[in-house]
Amino acid sequence: MNIPFNKPHLTGKEAHYMYQAVFNGHLSGNGEFTKKCQRFFEERYGFKKCLLTTSGTDALEMCAMLCDLKPGDEVIIPSYTFVSTALAFLREGAKVVFADSMKRNPNLDAEAIEALITPRTKVIVPVHYAGVACDMDKIMEIANRYNLLVVEDAAQAINSYYISHRCCDGRFAPSEENPRKEATILPLGGIGHLAAFSFHETKNITAGGEGGLLVVNDERFIRRAEIIWEKGTNRAEFFRGAVNKYGWVDMGSSFLPAEINAAFLWAQLENLDEIQNKRKALWETYYKLLKPLSEKGYFSMPVIPDYASNNAHMFYLILPNLEKRSALIKHLKDNGVLAVFHYLSLHSSAYYADKHDGRVLSECDRYADTLVRLPMYYDLEIEDVERICEVIKQFIR
Ligand SMILES: *Cc1c(COP(=O)(O)O)cnc(C)c1O
C-alpha cells in the first residue's frame, strides 16, 4: 500500500457542524462559528484579537496592509519560506530584503538581521519553520532598538511555544547589567505585533482545505484590522452598536471566511490536543528510529533549540547533497512512500532574481537542495513510520 505525503484528517464532527452552520441561517462570515473559533484562540493562547481569514496568505496580506508601508520601505524576510510571506509585503510596494537561514535549522538567522537594517527598514518577518520558534528574544530586542514592527509568519506554528528570557523590567536583551530572569513560555503568534496562521489542508488543523487567522497582539492595530477585514468599512463597530451607520472608511478586502469553513475548523479545534498528541508520537518515532543513522552522518535531523517547543508539523531530513536527496526520494517512491522537498530559494526565483541585491544566501540554498519532508499526518500509523524508516535504512545500505 502506498503511503501519501499528506492526508487531511477528519475528526468526524465536521459535517455535523457545517450542517448546523447552514441551518443557523447565517452563511456569510463573522457568524457564531467564526466567533467561537476566534474566542478559542484568544482564550487558549492569550492572543489580544483574532480574526479568521480565508487563508494564511490573506492573513499575511492583512498584516502587510496594517504595517502601512510606503514605497521603498524595506521588510526583512527569510528567503527559505513559502512565496506568500514575501508576496504579501511586495504587493504593498515594499522592498523585500531576503535574509539567510541558520546553520542549525532553516529558521531566519537572527544574528544576521542587524547587518540588513537601513533607515528604510520597517518590518522583520520571522517564519517559524516546521512550527519551531525563531530566536524571538533576539528578534524582539533588535526590533525594539530600531523601532521596527515584527510580523510572525506562524502558518505552520499552531500550538507551539517559545521560552522567553525577556527581562522583567520589560527590556528584551539580557546583558550584564540586566541578567536573565526566569523564563516565560509564550505561544508562537503571540510575540510579534501581528501574526498569521494557516489552516490549509497540509497544516496540523484545517478549516476545510483553506483558511487562516490574523492575530493582533498590539492593540493599536485592532480597530484598523477589523476595518480591513470588512472590506474597508466600519461594519464591525456598527454591529457592536458603537456607530449608528457604517460606511467606507479605509482600504480593505474580503478577508472573512464563510461560516461553513469556520464550522469545519471548530470540529478540528475541539480535537486539537488529540491531533497534536498523535502527531508528536509519530514525530518521536521517526526521530528515535532514524537517530542511529544520523549519528553515523548519513543525514541530519531537525534541531529544536532549547528555547523552542515542537508541534510536530513536519519531519524532515537534511541529506549531504542534492544527488543523495534525489536518490532517496526516488528510492522512497519506488517503495510506495511519497516524500517531497521544498522551498526553492525565493531570492533566486524567476520572479525575484533580478530584484535581489546579489548577496549569496548559502544556508538557504543548502536547505533548498538537501531537505526532504517525510509523510506526516494524523491518520499515519506508527507501523507506517516504522516501514518508512526501514525503507530509508535499506537505502543507506
Ligand atoms: C502554508 C504557509 C503559508 C500560506 O498559507 P495558506 O493558508 O496556504 O495561504 C504561508 N507561509 C508559510 C510559512 C506556510 O507554510
Side-chain angles (χ1 to χ4, degrees):
M1 248 248 310
N2 282 356
I3 300 177
F5 168 67
N6 180 59
K7 197 173 139 209
H9 168 58
L10 294 175
T11 68
K13 284 294 228 20
E14 286 81 359
H16 173 70
Y17 289 140
M18 286 164 81
Y19 185 91
Q20 256 188 32
V22 169
F23 285 89
N24 277 348
H26 179 132
L27 294 172
S28 58
N30 206 9
E32 278 317 303
F33 280 105
T34 299
K35 291 194 177 99
K36 264 163 98 134
C37 292
Q38 291 175 173
R39 217 176 303 127
F40 175 94
F41 294 112
E42 288 165 1
E43 282 167 9
R44 180 168 171 130
Y45 302 110
F47 299 151
K48 280 255 166 59
K49 178 77 189 174
C50 289
L51 295 173
L52 286 192
T53 58
T54 46
S55 66
T57 303
D58 270 0
L60 284 164
E61 286 178 7
M62 287 187 73
C63 291
M65 290 172 86
L66 286 165
C67 290
D68 205 17
L69 299 162
K70 306 284 175 285
D73 281 351
E74 295 174 11
V75 181
I76 297 172
I77 293 176
S79 180
Y80 193 75
T81 182
F82 190 60
V83 186
S84 301
T85 322
L87 202 50
F89 291 88
L90 213 55
R91 287 173 58 111
E92 292 302 299
K95 178 179 166 202
V96 171
V97 177
F98 283 116
D100 207 357
S101 296
M102 290 191 282
K103 222 177 198 74
R104 64 170 161 172
N105 76 28
N107 275 339
L108 178 64
D109 184 0
E111 303 297 328
I113 291 175
E114 227 173 324
L116 301 177
I117 293 176
T118 75
R120 299 303 308 264
T121 307
K122 291 283 145 54
V123 190
I124 306 172
V125 189
V127 178
H128 304 300
Y129 181 78
V132 175
C134 293
D135 187 351
M136 292 308 289
D137 279 350
K138 177 86 191 162
I139 292 169
M140 295 309 288
E141 182 271 318
I142 295 171
N144 272 12
R145 199 147 35 84
Y146 289 90
N147 197 23
L148 308 176
L149 293 172
V150 173
V151 172
E152 296 176 72
D153 181 340
Q156 306 175 3
I158 191 69
N159 210 52
S160 200
Y161 294 85
Y162 175 75
I163 298 153
S164 172
H165 290 87
R166 203 189 304 190
C167 302
C168 296
D169 65 358
R171 292 218 339 230
F172 285 93
S175 62
E176 263 174 64
E177 316 86 78
N178 212 357
R180 288 191 162 220
K181 299 281 162 58
E182 73 240 57
T184 339
I185 297 176
L186 303 172
L188 300 189
I191 305 168
H193 301 84
L194 299 162
F197 285 93
S198 167
F199 307 126
H200 185 265
E201 74 170 37
T202 52
K203 305 300 200 279
N204 289 25
I205 51 170
T206 177
E210 305 278 353
L213 178 76
L214 169 77
V215 175
V216 183
N217 296 310
D218 184 327
E219 283 171 358
R220 286 176 300 167
F221 297 106
I222 292 177
R223 179 168 184 261
R224 189 151 186 254
E226 281 187 331
I227 290 168
I228 290 173
W229 193 55
E230 284 275 22
K231 299 115 182 148
T233 73
N234 56 349
R235 196 160 175 259
E237 285 175 333
F238 173 72
F239 280 132
R240 274 199 299 274
V243 290
N244 59 13
K245 60 179 191 306
Y246 77 87
W248 185 14
V249 294
D250 203 336
M251 285 297 286
S253 190
S254 183
F255 287 120
L256 299 78
E259 272 287 281
I260 51 170
N261 285 91
F264 193 109
L265 181 62
W266 181 249
Q268 304 251 313
L269 291 179
E270 279 190 332
N271 286 274
L272 181 58
D273 289 324
E274 193 191 317
I275 291 171
Q276 286 302 104
N277 290 340
K278 173 75 184 286
R279 293 185 75 106
K280 278 186 208 159
L282 295 168
W283 199 99
E284 296 296 339
T285 306
Y286 269 129
Y287 196 86
K288 190 181 74 196
L289 295 178
L290 294 174
K291 197 156 187 272
L293 290 175
S294 87
E295 281 167 354
K296 288 194 185 125
Y298 293 113
F299 46 72
S300 47
M301 297 207 289
V303 174
I304 318 280
D306 17 320
Y307 54 69
S309 74
N310 174 23
N311 73 346
H313 172 59
M314 197 191 289
F315 194 90
Y316 62 83
L317 300 176
I318 314 276
L319 276 292
N321 55 48
L322 178 60
E323 291 68 38
K324 291 213 168 89
R325 180 181 72 179
S326 307
L328 174 60
I329 292 174
K330 181 173 183 304
H331 180 78
L332 285 163
K333 187 158 182 257
D334 291 344
N335 286 277
V337 178
L338 232 73
V340 301
F341 66 85
H342 76 171
Y343 299 113
L344 299 172
S345 303
L346 292 181
H347 69 281
S348 47
S349 60
Y351 187 65
Y352 207 79
D354 60 352
K355 302 176 189 70
H356 180 61
D357 54 27
R359 279 172 302 115
V360 175
L361 305 175
S362 53
E363 293 305 321
C364 168
D365 289 340
R366 181 172 64 87
Y367 291 117
D369 281 348
T370 60
L371 187 146
V372 56
R373 302 173 63 180
L374 301 178
M376 172 59 86
Y377 50 92
Y378 181 91
D379 294 300
L380 194 67
E381 296 304 337
I382 299 283
E383 300 78 66
D384 297 328
V385 173
E386 288 167 354
R387 200 187 114 199
I388 296 165
C389 293
E390 260 326 298
V391 174
I392 294 172
K393 279 179 199 163
Q394 215 181 71
F395 171 76
I396 299 294
R397 279 199 296 270

